[in-house]
Amino acid sequence: MKKRNAFTLIELLAVIVILAVILVIAIPRILDVIETSKKDSFKNAAQLIADTAEKKKVSDKLLGKDEEITCKDVAKINDEDYASCKITFDSDGIAKVSIVGKGKFKRLKVIDGTKENAEVKEITKPTYGMKAVEYITNLLEYDGEGLKIDNTPDQNIRYYGSDPNNYVRFNNELWRIIGVFGNNVKLIRSEKLGNLSWDSSESSVNDGWGVNEWSQADLKNYLNTMYYGGTSVTCYNGQNNQTTACPTGTIDETSKGLIDYHTWNTGAIEYETTTDTLAFYQAERGTVNGKICSSGTGCNDTVTRTTTWTGYIGLPYPTDYAYASGENICETNMVKQDSSNAYICKNNNWMFKNIWYWTLSPSASSGISRFVWLVHSDGDVRYSNAANGGAVFPAIYLKSNILIESGKGTSSDPYILKAGS
């Protein structure tokens, strides 16, 4: 009788089929176990942060401290796993943690979780027809690509990197989304309108170099009258009221209906602040105006200064440029240079233009009341005389009810906006 040395083909096929059936049954269960474990870990992290935050709050009170408690103060937060984390306290001192995951916790979030209970929710892809603020916020949580929360107390959502998908069709041309600021989305025109003075003046006023007060600036008048679709104005491009032809483009009626009548901050910033991006951001929204001098031919204007202005069309802030860079150092030092003295913040930055352009912010300079901040063609953030001719990239805030109707945010398929109810 012959010995059997191998399985038959039919037997091997039977074994393979059995193994396949086992895998089909087992793999989903294994994946479920992994997903449940991931959610439990995320939940536990939120509860631990809340518990530790409450203990720190009590400890601070005993020590007479009154300072903000952040997630990084009470836990080892890995930036690769958490897109954002915020702690608030209710009137009873109960800590509530809102945390959005990324990396291994991608598409998970907890809203107002406490040490007793933290419900983990899955983040779904944003859908068309959502308000623009909600769409971008949801996109940050769902995907996060090209979006970040800045390090300011306002925790603005910003697009960053060399070419994020932040294109939008506005005024029948390409604009780009700077980010989400409170209840508004902020846009900037993709291409410059032209080169104009921020302001100019006759030779007897500030030596003819203009006045650094936005509410009366020549560029403000052009953008919010002629460019906005109103009456013609005089445009300037040089010292001593040197005139130039105004750009001919205007905002169409449909787009005008999307623009928020917004209160812009016009605080003046001292030169030394450029080495501290966060301090610069706060100064942009501060109470120092552009005339801290009191005498001299460069400071003889009699214009009343303000630190806020309400209108339709403004300019980007210097920090909008800094936070648009993909270089982390720019969140703390917006004029950092490398070993070859090149400015780092121009790297991986969609708002770097290779030309110098105006920003909204005046400079607080002793003895001079005509300097305005700009982004230079070498990537530096510096100030210059208001009458110099710089590139103009208008910026606007959308109304809070504006919807994203379609598009992918690319230059070939930009987002399409629609007025909401």
Side-chain angles (χ1 to χ4, degrees):
M1 189 174 179
K2 290 184 179 181
K3 289 185 178 181
R4 184 175 177 183
N5 295 323
F7 292 107
T8 66
L9 179 59
I10 294 176
E11 289 172 330
L12 288 173
L13 289 174
V15 171
I16 292 171
V17 169
I18 292 169
L19 289 174
V21 170
I22 292 172
L23 288 173
V24 168
I25 296 172
I27 286 177
R29 294 185 179 181
I30 293 171
L31 293 176
D32 286 343
V33 170
I34 293 173
E35 186 66 19
T36 299
S37 176
K38 182 170 67 174
K39 289 181 178 180
D40 287 343
S41 178
F42 194 68
K43 175 182 177 179
N44 292 338
Q47 290 180 300
L48 179 61
I49 291 171
D51 184 36
T52 310
E54 287 184 12
K55 292 176 180 177
K56 181 169 175 55
K57 185 80 169 178
V58 172
S59 175
D60 285 354
K61 187 175 181 179
L62 292 173
L63 295 172
K65 295 181 180 179
D66 184 18
E67 57 188 12
E68 182 185 9
I69 297 175
T70 69
C71 294
K72 289 191 176 182
D73 292 333
V74 298
K76 293 181 179 180
I77 296 294
N78 187 341
D79 290 338
E80 294 182 358
D81 293 332
Y82 300 97
S84 66
C85 182
K86 187 174 183 180
I87 302 170
T88 58
F89 291 88
D90 66 14
S91 58
D92 297 321
I94 302 299
K96 295 185 176 181
V97 176
S98 295
I99 186 166
V100 176
K102 67 176 183 179
K104 66 182 179 183
F105 296 128
K106 188 176 182 179
R107 297 174 187 168
L108 296 179
K109 69 177 178 180
V110 169
I111 303 298
D112 289 338
T114 67
K115 65 181 181 183
E116 303 293 341
N117 183 44
E119 181 183 359
V120 178
K121 296 182 178 180
E122 293 189 18
I123 300 168
T124 59
K125 187 176 182 179
T127 57
Y128 296 131
M130 296 175 68
K131 291 181 180 179
V133 169
E134 296 172 353
Y135 187 97
I136 296 170
T137 302
N138 195 172
L139 191 63
L140 166 70
E141 295 176 350
Y142 179 78
D143 185 276
E145 185 176 353
L147 286 164
K148 65 180 177 182
I149 296 176
D150 66 24
N151 64 340
T152 70
D154 299 319
Q155 293 194 313
N156 308 298
I157 298 174
R158 298 179 184 268
Y159 278 96
Y160 74 100
S162 60
D163 191 25
N165 294 333
N166 62 341
Y167 289 91
V168 60
R169 177 65 61 181
F170 180 81
N171 199 40
N172 201 32
E173 57 194 10
L174 284 179
W175 287 53
R176 302 189 77 168
I177 302 170
I178 294 177
V180 174
F181 301 84
N183 294 322
N184 303 94
V185 169
K186 187 178 183 182
L187 307 183
I188 184 172
R189 196 174 189 265
S190 182
E191 301 296 330
K192 71 173 184 177
L193 275 178
N195 286 63
L196 297 172
S197 295
W198 200 91
D199 189 62
S200 190
S201 59
E202 59 184 55
S203 59
S204 62
V205 177
N206 293 349
D207 292 326
W209 286 110
V211 179
N212 62 359
E213 167 56 31
W214 177 254
S215 66
Q216 65 88 62
D218 296 321
L219 183 53
K220 185 276 299 184
N221 293 336
Y222 162 68
L223 290 175
N224 289 270
T225 51
M226 186 174 176
Y227 180 61
Y228 190 69
T231 57
S232 297
V233 299
T234 301
C235 290
Y236 300 90
N237 191 358
Q239 186 183 12
N240 301 326
N241 281 339
Q242 182 176 332
T243 61
T244 189
C246 295
T248 57
T250 59
I251 300 292
D252 61 46
E253 290 301 315
T254 299
S255 298
K256 284 168 67 173
L258 305 181
I259 302 176
D260 188 47
Y261 189 60
H262 199 80
T263 298
W264 303 65
N265 294 286
T266 55
I269 304 101
E270 297 179 355
Y271 176 77
E272 292 78 8
T273 315
T274 53
T275 58
D276 187 336
T277 307
L278 187 56
F280 200 108
Y281 174 89
Q282 293 168 330
E284 289 171 344
R285 291 146 184 82
T287 57
V288 176
N289 65 50
K291 190 174 184 180
I292 61 175
C293 53
S294 58
S295 62
T297 59
C299 182
N300 63 1
D301 71 86
T302 58
V303 173
T304 300
R305 295 305 206 277
T306 62
T307 53
T308 61
W309 165 79
T310 303
Y312 292 108
I313 305 176
L315 297 169
Y317 290 113
T319 55
D320 287 336
Y321 162 77
Y323 283 113
S325 174
E327 304 295 329
N328 291 334
I329 188 64
C330 301
E331 291 196 345
T332 54
N333 185 341
M334 57 201 293
V335 292
K336 184 71 174 177
Q337 294 174 280
D338 61 20
S339 58
S340 63
N341 294 324
Y343 291 97
I344 294 175
C345 290
K346 71 179 181 180
N347 300 334
N348 197 22
N349 189 330
W350 67 270
M351 287 189 69
F352 176 66
K353 303 291 186 180
N354 268 317
I355 55 175
W356 77 265
Y357 60 91
W358 289 118
T359 71
L360 191 67
S361 302
S363 170
S365 300
S366 179
I368 302 293
S369 60
R370 66 196 188 206
F371 287 159
V372 178
W373 287 95
L374 57 89
V375 176
H376 200 268
S377 58
D378 61 4
D380 186 21
V381 177
R382 64 183 73 163
Y383 53 68
S384 179
N385 289 304
N388 283 328
V392 177
F393 291 87
I396 62 101
Y397 288 93
L398 293 174
K399 291 178 178 177
S400 59
N401 65 341
I402 302 306
L403 312 177
I404 289 184
E405 189 175 35
S406 62
K408 297 180 180 178
T410 62
S411 58
S412 58
D413 188 13
Y415 290 125
I416 304 299
L417 304 176
K418 179 182 178 182
S421 57

